[in-house]
Amino acid sequence: MAVSPHSFPPRKRRPSAAAFVSPKLSAPILLESLLSLCHEISAIKPLQFILKRYSISMIRKSRLLHIFLQDLRRNPTVLLSASALLCLEEMYIVLQRIKTLIEDCSNGSKMWLLTQNQSIANNFHELTLDLSTLLDIFPVKDAGLTEDVEELFFLLRNQCSESAAFLDPRDEDLRLSVMNTIDRIKDEIVPDCAELSEIFSMIDIRDSSSCREEIENLEDEVQNQTDEKSRSDMIALIGLVRYAKCVLYGASTAESGFRRSDSISDLPVPADFKCPINLDLMQDPVVVATGHTYDRAAITLWIESGHNTCPKTGQTLAHTNLIPNRGLKNLIAMWCRQERVPFDVAESNKERVNGVTLNKAALEAMRMTASFLVKKLATSADYSVNDVVYELRVLAKTDPGSRGFIAQAGAVPLLIRYLNSDNPTLQVNAVTTVLNLSIFEANKSLIMETDGALIGVIEVLRSGATWEAKGNAAATIFSLSSIHSYRRRMGRKSRVIRGLLDLAKNGPINSKRDALVTILTLANDREIVGRLIEGGVMEAVSHLMKSLPEEAVTILEVVVRKGGFVAIASGFYVIKKLGSVLREGSDRARESAAAALVTMCRQGGSEMVAELASIAGIERVMWELMGSGTARGRRKAASLLRILRRWSAGLDGNGGAGGESMTMTSSRMGGDSNPIVSSSRGAIVHV
């Protein structure tokens, strides 16, 4: 599977100590490199709180080393011995490690630094001892140093000979305070605000912005941890910081730079991460008997609908066992984390976040944060409501485990009030929060059963103040549609159909995608397909074949397969557009186009085949697809070629000759027989 390197989030952590090797440079270049390195360390700002003494000490030592190295460089007549050069090479490695350690401590999470206080202090001490050893064995008497610099050298050597690591009592007391706070949260005791404020002030986290930065650093640290317990502990710290952010510094404002990517299709999802059935980002990829991967929900629905074949290849499945594709799931989770879009695994998302098992403290911190915000929403004045709703939106998106707690605290009925708000920003935040909550399986029934919730979402879809609000309303309907009964319930509402089709035709590109993915989900139900056809789905996808060919053609394939002759007749005029997709589209779009054309030609008769045959060079296109397309695409192209040749020979299934006769064919949809007008010639046929 080809995956772009940009799919992986960058690591903030620098290389390990073992990654640094001896530079093997000539003496003059080595001295210059050491001087440059000492200068870089000297320019680093010392740590202001945790491990402050060690950082100041290391920076001061690098300045003294700089003076020593400058004196070595001033005397070109002195030839350094092999042992001196070896010491300087090893010193280069030690200084690189010192620089890396200080920068990691400066740029990383303050909470992580605090919890690792003892370990990092030991790292500083070990590096100091390494430097001391190198200074001890350096042949200083042969180096031709001036008297003052030689005295300075011995002073530096003495400073490096510390007997034990130093642990600042204030740092240790602060660490214990944080651990005690987490223990109290674990016992379901709400932290004291005054004590919490003092802790965060001491580590220089004093506002919402610094809290957000700390949370991001902790999330990076989660990925750097190698064992489950450490990662789970990091998640607990994230919960603590997120709780403190809401309680101490108030809700964020919607103008704080939160990038919109709540939509199910706002970002260009890597093709390998999309389910071949619904073209949406896979949440729980599984492998079927043929070796192809699908999203669990989509393939389960396919099998439960009576199919016993692989959707991509058409092969009969030897068994219906679904094997989890854990490797792909991990890649998708990493990509989602980088792009900051919601991603849930099959397990209860109250117990795991990004695959990390949560401990009691993390769960309780989530619950307390959700409860605090929902209570604040219930009592907020009108002017501050938007900030609280926005904070719930962020929490439900960036902390998936909180979705259940937010809903349990009673957020859904409160959010419904603001779906018809005159404030466009508040409306967007409210509907997006409902979308994020709906991703959690247990919340779907709660949303559907809450009075006014579904109606409110549909009204936003139809008449929302912004395209973003309409797109996220469509995404909410998509999310709720994963449950079969809810999908049918929404598909019976003409306002849903009209809203989705209007959005698909008139919205911006990301909103079009939201609408099309939702339409594709609804189209998997035969009853709803008829309503989509009546609403003009064929016209809508026809307009989108150039801008969004994969989505449009996939919908067309499903509609003509499930919609019977009504769909085929209404799609007569798109045949030439499908021919263009066959010639120029992606592999997946060409496969769907070929499949749609096979269905249309087989059931629509000679008129359909004649329209296809009128496309210049169509047979050559078929041969190309047979040679380079997907396995299913090659089979469909071969079927089309046979259909064209039979038609050309006057052997089409209706006895026509070369497409001159009128096709009178029948197909049943739902067992009813209804007259319709066929294609452009106006002939009446019965289906």
Side-chain angles (χ1 to χ4, degrees), residues 12-14 44-45 47 99-110 112-113 213-214 216-218 220-221:
K12 285 194 174 181
R13 185 65 59 80
R14 298 300 184 87
I44 297 175
K45 185 178 179 181
L47 301 175
K99 177 173 177 278
T100 296
L101 183 58
I102 297 174
E103 288 182 339
D104 274 345
C105 292
S106 299
N107 300 329
S109 159
K110 295 181 176 68
W112 175 82
L113 190 63
E213 184 179 352
E214 176 64 16
E216 290 178 1
N217 287 332
L218 281 168
D220 288 325
E221 195 56 52

PDB file of all heavy atoms in Angstrom, residues 12-14 44-45 47 99-110 112-113 213-214 216-218 220-221:
ATOM      1  N   LYS A  12       8.523  15.672  17.600  1.00  0.00           N
ATOM      2  CA  LYS A  12       9.230  16.819  18.155  1.00  0.00           C
ATOM      3  C   LYS A  12      10.496  16.379  18.889  1.00  0.00           C
ATOM      4  O   LYS A  12      11.409  17.155  19.079  1.00  0.00           O
ATOM      5  CB  LYS A  12       8.306  17.572  19.128  1.00  0.00           C
ATOM      6  CG  LYS A  12       7.251  18.396  18.416  1.00  0.00           C
ATOM      7  CD  LYS A  12       6.598  19.371  19.363  1.00  0.00           C
ATOM      8  CE  LYS A  12       5.650  20.287  18.611  1.00  0.00           C
ATOM      9  NZ  LYS A  12       5.008  21.274  19.501  1.00  0.00           N
ATOM     10  N   ARG A  13      10.510  15.102  19.347  1.00  0.00           N
ATOM     11  CA  ARG A  13      11.655  14.610  20.089  1.00  0.00           C
ATOM     12  C   ARG A  13      12.856  14.474  19.165  1.00  0.00           C
ATOM     13  O   ARG A  13      12.743  14.018  18.046  1.00  0.00           O
ATOM     14  CB  ARG A  13      11.326  13.250  20.713  1.00  0.00           C
ATOM     15  CG  ARG A  13      12.407  12.703  21.599  1.00  0.00           C
ATOM     16  CD  ARG A  13      12.609  13.579  22.830  1.00  0.00           C
ATOM     17  NE  ARG A  13      11.382  13.669  23.587  1.00  0.00           N
ATOM     18  CZ  ARG A  13      10.951  12.729  24.435  1.00  0.00           C
ATOM     19  NH1 ARG A  13      11.652  11.653  24.607  1.00  0.00           N
ATOM     20  NH2 ARG A  13       9.848  12.895  25.107  1.00  0.00           N
ATOM     21  N   ARG A  14      14.029  14.881  19.644  1.00  0.00           N
ATOM     22  CA  ARG A  14      15.254  14.791  18.851  1.00  0.00           C
ATOM     23  C   ARG A  14      15.798  13.370  18.871  1.00  0.00           C
ATOM     24  O   ARG A  14      15.327  12.513  19.616  1.00  0.00           O
ATOM     25  CB  ARG A  14      16.294  15.753  19.434  1.00  0.00           C
ATOM     26  CG  ARG A  14      15.863  17.202  19.391  1.00  0.00           C
ATOM     27  CD  ARG A  14      15.605  17.680  17.971  1.00  0.00           C
ATOM     28  NE  ARG A  14      15.277  19.088  17.934  1.00  0.00           N
ATOM     29  CZ  ARG A  14      16.179  20.052  17.868  1.00  0.00           C
ATOM     30  NH1 ARG A  14      17.449  19.763  17.821  1.00  0.00           N
ATOM     31  NH2 ARG A  14      15.802  21.313  17.840  1.00  0.00           N
ATOM     32  N   ILE A  44      21.002  29.493  24.078  1.00  0.00           N
ATOM     33  CA  ILE A  44      19.708  28.938  24.491  1.00  0.00           C
ATOM     34  C   ILE A  44      19.239  29.634  25.761  1.00  0.00           C
ATOM     35  O   ILE A  44      20.016  29.863  26.690  1.00  0.00           O
ATOM     36  CB  ILE A  44      19.823  27.417  24.731  1.00  0.00           C
ATOM     37  CG1 ILE A  44      20.194  26.697  23.425  1.00  0.00           C
ATOM     38  CG2 ILE A  44      18.505  26.857  25.266  1.00  0.00           C
ATOM     39  CD1 ILE A  44      20.450  25.215  23.612  1.00  0.00           C
ATOM     40  N   LYS A  45      17.963  29.942  25.802  1.00  0.00           N
ATOM     41  CA  LYS A  45      17.394  30.550  26.999  1.00  0.00           C
ATOM     42  C   LYS A  45      17.266  29.486  28.086  1.00  0.00           C
ATOM     43  O   LYS A  45      16.727  28.403  27.844  1.00  0.00           O
ATOM     44  CB  LYS A  45      16.020  31.136  26.683  1.00  0.00           C
ATOM     45  CG  LYS A  45      15.399  31.901  27.836  1.00  0.00           C
ATOM     46  CD  LYS A  45      14.051  32.479  27.415  1.00  0.00           C
ATOM     47  CE  LYS A  45      13.410  33.229  28.579  1.00  0.00           C
ATOM     48  NZ  LYS A  45      12.076  33.775  28.188  1.00  0.00           N
ATOM     49  N   LEU A  47      16.023  27.172  31.200  1.00  0.00           N
ATOM     50  CA  LEU A  47      14.699  26.794  31.691  1.00  0.00           C
ATOM     51  C   LEU A  47      14.319  27.717  32.844  1.00  0.00           C
ATOM     52  O   LEU A  47      15.142  28.011  33.714  1.00  0.00           O
ATOM     53  CB  LEU A  47      14.714  25.338  32.159  1.00  0.00           C
ATOM     54  CG  LEU A  47      15.107  24.291  31.106  1.00  0.00           C
ATOM     55  CD1 LEU A  47      15.192  22.901  31.741  1.00  0.00           C
ATOM     56  CD2 LEU A  47      14.129  24.283  29.956  1.00  0.00           C
ATOM     57  N   LYS A  99      22.959  19.927  24.106  1.00  0.00           N
ATOM     58  CA  LYS A  99      22.109  20.855  23.354  1.00  0.00           C
ATOM     59  C   LYS A  99      20.728  20.245  23.108  1.00  0.00           C
ATOM     60  O   LYS A  99      19.691  20.901  23.284  1.00  0.00           O
ATOM     61  CB  LYS A  99      22.784  21.181  22.022  1.00  0.00           C
ATOM     62  CG  LYS A  99      21.982  22.080  21.086  1.00  0.00           C
ATOM     63  CD  LYS A  99      22.842  22.454  19.875  1.00  0.00           C
ATOM     64  CE  LYS A  99      22.046  23.287  18.874  1.00  0.00           C
ATOM     65  NZ  LYS A  99      21.218  22.464  18.004  1.00  0.00           N
ATOM     66  N   THR A 100      20.705  18.980  22.700  1.00  0.00           N
ATOM     67  CA  THR A 100      19.440  18.299  22.440  1.00  0.00           C
ATOM     68  C   THR A 100      18.587  18.222  23.688  1.00  0.00           C
ATOM     69  O   THR A 100      17.377  18.478  23.656  1.00  0.00           O
ATOM     70  CB  THR A 100      19.711  16.886  21.902  1.00  0.00           C
ATOM     71  OG1 THR A 100      20.370  16.986  20.649  1.00  0.00           O
ATOM     72  CG2 THR A 100      18.428  16.107  21.728  1.00  0.00           C
ATOM     73  N   LEU A 101      19.188  17.873  24.819  1.00  0.00           N
ATOM     74  CA  LEU A 101      18.439  17.718  26.069  1.00  0.00           C
ATOM     75  C   LEU A 101      17.832  19.044  26.511  1.00  0.00           C
ATOM     76  O   LEU A 101      16.661  19.101  26.899  1.00  0.00           O
ATOM     77  CB  LEU A 101      19.358  17.153  27.150  1.00  0.00           C
ATOM     78  CG  LEU A 101      18.702  16.860  28.510  1.00  0.00           C
ATOM     79  CD1 LEU A 101      17.544  15.884  28.344  1.00  0.00           C
ATOM     80  CD2 LEU A 101      19.729  16.311  29.493  1.00  0.00           C
ATOM     81  N   ILE A 102      18.608  20.117  26.453  1.00  0.00           N
ATOM     82  CA  ILE A 102      18.078  21.419  26.873  1.00  0.00           C
ATOM     83  C   ILE A 102      16.951  21.865  25.952  1.00  0.00           C
ATOM     84  O   ILE A 102      15.914  22.374  26.410  1.00  0.00           O
ATOM     85  CB  ILE A 102      19.204  22.483  26.909  1.00  0.00           C
ATOM     86  CG1 ILE A 102      20.264  22.111  27.950  1.00  0.00           C
ATOM     87  CG2 ILE A 102      18.627  23.857  27.241  1.00  0.00           C
ATOM     88  CD1 ILE A 102      21.476  23.041  27.950  1.00  0.00           C
ATOM     89  N   GLU A 103      17.132  21.675  24.642  1.00  0.00           N
ATOM     90  CA  GLU A 103      16.086  22.083  23.701  1.00  0.00           C
ATOM     91  C   GLU A 103      14.823  21.259  23.879  1.00  0.00           C
ATOM     92  O   GLU A 103      13.705  21.792  23.783  1.00  0.00           O
ATOM     93  CB  GLU A 103      16.602  21.969  22.271  1.00  0.00           C
ATOM     94  CG  GLU A 103      17.615  23.039  21.910  1.00  0.00           C
ATOM     95  CD  GLU A 103      18.086  22.950  20.476  1.00  0.00           C
ATOM     96  OE1 GLU A 103      17.950  21.868  19.872  1.00  0.00           O
ATOM     97  OE2 GLU A 103      18.595  23.965  19.973  1.00  0.00           O
ATOM     98  N   ASP A 104      14.976  19.954  24.122  1.00  0.00           N
ATOM     99  CA  ASP A 104      13.794  19.124  24.372  1.00  0.00           C
ATOM    100  C   ASP A 104      13.034  19.607  25.600  1.00  0.00           C
ATOM    101  O   ASP A 104      11.805  19.672  25.602  1.00  0.00           O
ATOM    102  CB  ASP A 104      14.200  17.661  24.560  1.00  0.00           C
ATOM    103  CG  ASP A 104      14.313  16.931  23.233  1.00  0.00           C
ATOM    104  OD1 ASP A 104      13.814  17.456  22.231  1.00  0.00           O
ATOM    105  OD2 ASP A 104      14.911  15.847  23.204  1.00  0.00           O
ATOM    106  N   CYS A 105      13.783  19.924  26.649  1.00  0.00           N
ATOM    107  CA  CYS A 105      13.147  20.403  27.884  1.00  0.00           C
ATOM    108  C   CYS A 105      12.482  21.759  27.665  1.00  0.00           C
ATOM    109  O   CYS A 105      11.429  22.048  28.249  1.00  0.00           O
ATOM    110  CB  CYS A 105      14.179  20.503  29.005  1.00  0.00           C
ATOM    111  SG  CYS A 105      14.831  18.912  29.562  1.00  0.00           S
ATOM    112  N   SER A 106      13.072  22.592  26.825  1.00  0.00           N
ATOM    113  CA  SER A 106      12.518  23.926  26.576  1.00  0.00           C
ATOM    114  C   SER A 106      11.278  23.880  25.701  1.00  0.00           C
ATOM    115  O   SER A 106      10.335  24.646  25.911  1.00  0.00           O
ATOM    116  CB  SER A 106      13.570  24.817  25.901  1.00  0.00           C
ATOM    117  OG  SER A 106      14.702  24.981  26.720  1.00  0.00           O
ATOM    118  N   ASN A 107      11.282  22.985  24.712  1.00  0.00           N
ATOM    119  CA  ASN A 107      10.213  22.984  23.712  1.00  0.00           C
ATOM    120  C   ASN A 107       9.104  21.988  23.993  1.00  0.00           C
ATOM    121  O   ASN A 107       8.059  22.033  23.334  1.00  0.00           O
ATOM    122  CB  ASN A 107      10.800  22.681  22.328  1.00  0.00           C
ATOM    123  CG  ASN A 107      11.828  23.708  21.900  1.00  0.00           C
ATOM    124  OD1 ASN A 107      11.735  24.874  22.271  1.00  0.00           O
ATOM    125  ND2 ASN A 107      12.820  23.285  21.128  1.00  0.00           N
ATOM    126  N   GLY A 108       9.302  21.087  24.911  1.00  0.00           N
ATOM    127  CA  GLY A 108       8.320  20.036  25.151  1.00  0.00           C
ATOM    128  C   GLY A 108       7.295  20.396  26.209  1.00  0.00           C
ATOM    129  O   GLY A 108       7.138  21.542  26.621  1.00  0.00           O
ATOM    130  N   SER A 109       6.603  19.385  26.661  1.00  0.00           N
ATOM    131  CA  SER A 109       5.548  19.554  27.654  1.00  0.00           C
ATOM    132  C   SER A 109       6.132  19.841  29.037  1.00  0.00           C
ATOM    133  O   SER A 109       7.039  19.151  29.507  1.00  0.00           O
ATOM    134  CB  SER A 109       4.697  18.275  27.714  1.00  0.00           C
ATOM    135  OG  SER A 109       4.007  18.190  28.926  1.00  0.00           O
ATOM    136  N   LYS A 110       5.599  20.860  29.706  1.00  0.00           N
ATOM    137  CA  LYS A 110       6.040  21.179  31.065  1.00  0.00           C
ATOM    138  C   LYS A 110       5.583  20.120  32.052  1.00  0.00           C
ATOM    139  O   LYS A 110       6.303  19.771  32.992  1.00  0.00           O
ATOM    140  CB  LYS A 110       5.504  22.558  31.470  1.00  0.00           C
ATOM    141  CG  LYS A 110       6.062  23.718  30.641  1.00  0.00           C
ATOM    142  CD  LYS A 110       5.496  25.039  31.124  1.00  0.00           C
ATOM    143  CE  LYS A 110       6.123  26.224  30.382  1.00  0.00           C
ATOM    144  NZ  LYS A 110       5.728  26.268  28.972  1.00  0.00           N
ATOM    145  N   TRP A 112       5.044  16.916  31.383  1.00  0.00           N
ATOM    146  CA  TRP A 112       5.888  15.735  31.201  1.00  0.00           C
ATOM    147  C   TRP A 112       7.245  15.954  31.847  1.00  0.00           C
ATOM    148  O   TRP A 112       7.780  15.062  32.498  1.00  0.00           O
ATOM    149  CB  TRP A 112       6.062  15.457  29.711  1.00  0.00           C
ATOM    150  CG  TRP A 112       7.010  14.336  29.423  1.00  0.00           C
ATOM    151  CD1 TRP A 112       6.735  12.999  29.441  1.00  0.00           C
ATOM    152  CD2 TRP A 112       8.407  14.457  29.121  1.00  0.00           C
ATOM    153  NE1 TRP A 112       7.868  12.277  29.152  1.00  0.00           N
ATOM    154  CE2 TRP A 112       8.904  13.145  28.953  1.00  0.00           C
ATOM    155  CE3 TRP A 112       9.279  15.523  28.969  1.00  0.00           C
ATOM    156  CZ2 TRP A 112      10.231  12.887  28.646  1.00  0.00           C
ATOM    157  CZ3 TRP A 112      10.599  15.265  28.655  1.00  0.00           C
ATOM    158  CH2 TRP A 112      11.068  13.975  28.496  1.00  0.00           C
ATOM    159  N   LEU A 113       7.808  17.144  31.667  1.00  0.00           N
ATOM    160  CA  LEU A 113       9.105  17.468  32.263  1.00  0.00           C
ATOM    161  C   LEU A 113       9.041  17.328  33.780  1.00  0.00           C
ATOM    162  O   LEU A 113       9.965  16.806  34.415  1.00  0.00           O
ATOM    163  CB  LEU A 113       9.490  18.900  31.878  1.00  0.00           C
ATOM    164  CG  LEU A 113      10.915  19.364  32.198  1.00  0.00           C
ATOM    165  CD1 LEU A 113      11.928  18.533  31.436  1.00  0.00           C
ATOM    166  CD2 LEU A 113      11.072  20.844  31.860  1.00  0.00           C
ATOM    167  N   GLU A 213      -1.245  24.907  24.012  1.00  0.00           N
ATOM    168  CA  GLU A 213       0.110  24.514  23.620  1.00  0.00           C
ATOM    169  C   GLU A 213       0.589  23.331  24.450  1.00  0.00           C
ATOM    170  O   GLU A 213       1.210  22.396  23.926  1.00  0.00           O
ATOM    171  CB  GLU A 213       1.049  25.702  23.796  1.00  0.00           C
ATOM    172  CG  GLU A 213       2.470  25.416  23.333  1.00  0.00           C
ATOM    173  CD  GLU A 213       3.395  26.618  23.497  1.00  0.00           C
ATOM    174  OE1 GLU A 213       2.892  27.716  23.821  1.00  0.00           O
ATOM    175  OE2 GLU A 213       4.613  26.449  23.306  1.00  0.00           O
ATOM    176  N   GLU A 214       0.285  23.348  25.737  1.00  0.00           N
ATOM    177  CA  GLU A 214       0.687  22.243  26.609  1.00  0.00           C
ATOM    178  C   GLU A 214      -0.017  20.944  26.208  1.00  0.00           C
ATOM    179  O   GLU A 214       0.603  19.865  26.201  1.00  0.00           O
ATOM    180  CB  GLU A 214       0.364  22.587  28.071  1.00  0.00           C
ATOM    181  CG  GLU A 214       0.649  21.485  29.074  1.00  0.00           C
ATOM    182  CD  GLU A 214       2.127  21.123  29.174  1.00  0.00           C
ATOM    183  OE1 GLU A 214       2.990  21.906  28.701  1.00  0.00           O
ATOM    184  OE2 GLU A 214       2.429  20.053  29.734  1.00  0.00           O
ATOM    185  N   GLU A 216      -1.079  20.130  23.217  1.00  0.00           N
ATOM    186  CA  GLU A 216      -0.456  19.655  21.979  1.00  0.00           C
ATOM    187  C   GLU A 216       0.884  18.982  22.253  1.00  0.00           C
ATOM    188  O   GLU A 216       1.206  17.948  21.662  1.00  0.00           O
ATOM    189  CB  GLU A 216      -0.273  20.827  21.015  1.00  0.00           C
ATOM    190  CG  GLU A 216      -1.576  21.351  20.441  1.00  0.00           C
ATOM    191  CD  GLU A 216      -1.364  22.549  19.537  1.00  0.00           C
ATOM    192  OE1 GLU A 216      -0.184  22.948  19.348  1.00  0.00           O
ATOM    193  OE2 GLU A 216      -2.352  23.097  19.016  1.00  0.00           O
ATOM    194  N   ASN A 217       1.663  19.563  23.166  1.00  0.00           N
ATOM    195  CA  ASN A 217       2.956  18.958  23.510  1.00  0.00           C
ATOM    196  C   ASN A 217       2.774  17.605  24.184  1.00  0.00           C
ATOM    197  O   ASN A 217       3.545  16.665  23.946  1.00  0.00           O
ATOM    198  CB  ASN A 217       3.750  19.901  24.415  1.00  0.00           C
ATOM    199  CG  ASN A 217       4.300  21.105  23.672  1.00  0.00           C
ATOM    200  OD1 ASN A 217       4.554  21.047  22.481  1.00  0.00           O
ATOM    201  ND2 ASN A 217       4.481  22.214  24.372  1.00  0.00           N
ATOM    202  N   LEU A 218       1.759  17.497  25.041  1.00  0.00           N
ATOM    203  CA  LEU A 218       1.488  16.216  25.697  1.00  0.00           C
ATOM    204  C   LEU A 218       1.023  15.174  24.668  1.00  0.00           C
ATOM    205  O   LEU A 218       1.376  13.997  24.769  1.00  0.00           O
ATOM    206  CB  LEU A 218       0.428  16.391  26.790  1.00  0.00           C
ATOM    207  CG  LEU A 218       0.923  16.989  28.111  1.00  0.00           C
ATOM    208  CD1 LEU A 218      -0.256  17.379  28.995  1.00  0.00           C
ATOM    209  CD2 LEU A 218       1.839  16.018  28.852  1.00  0.00           C
ATOM    210  N   ASP A 220       1.924  15.047  21.572  1.00  0.00           N
ATOM    211  CA  ASP A 220       3.146  14.595  20.904  1.00  0.00           C
ATOM    212  C   ASP A 220       3.899  13.603  21.783  1.00  0.00           C
ATOM    213  O   ASP A 220       4.451  12.614  21.296  1.00  0.00           O
ATOM    214  CB  ASP A 220       4.053  15.788  20.589  1.00  0.00           C
ATOM    215  CG  ASP A 220       3.508  16.642  19.457  1.00  0.00           C
ATOM    216  OD1 ASP A 220       2.908  16.076  18.537  1.00  0.00           O
ATOM    217  OD2 ASP A 220       3.680  17.869  19.507  1.00  0.00           O
ATOM    218  N   GLU A 221       3.913  13.870  23.077  1.00  0.00           N
ATOM    219  CA  GLU A 221       4.641  13.005  24.001  1.00  0.00           C
ATOM    220  C   GLU A 221       4.012  11.619  24.085  1.00  0.00           C
ATOM    221  O   GLU A 221       4.713  10.614  24.276  1.00  0.00           O
ATOM    222  CB  GLU A 221       4.686  13.654  25.392  1.00  0.00           C
ATOM    223  CG  GLU A 221       5.699  13.036  26.325  1.00  0.00           C
ATOM    224  CD  GLU A 221       7.095  13.054  25.733  1.00  0.00           C
ATOM    225  OE1 GLU A 221       7.550  14.131  25.297  1.00  0.00           O
ATOM    226  OE2 GLU A 221       7.721  11.977  25.692  1.00  0.00           O
TER     227      GLU A 221
END
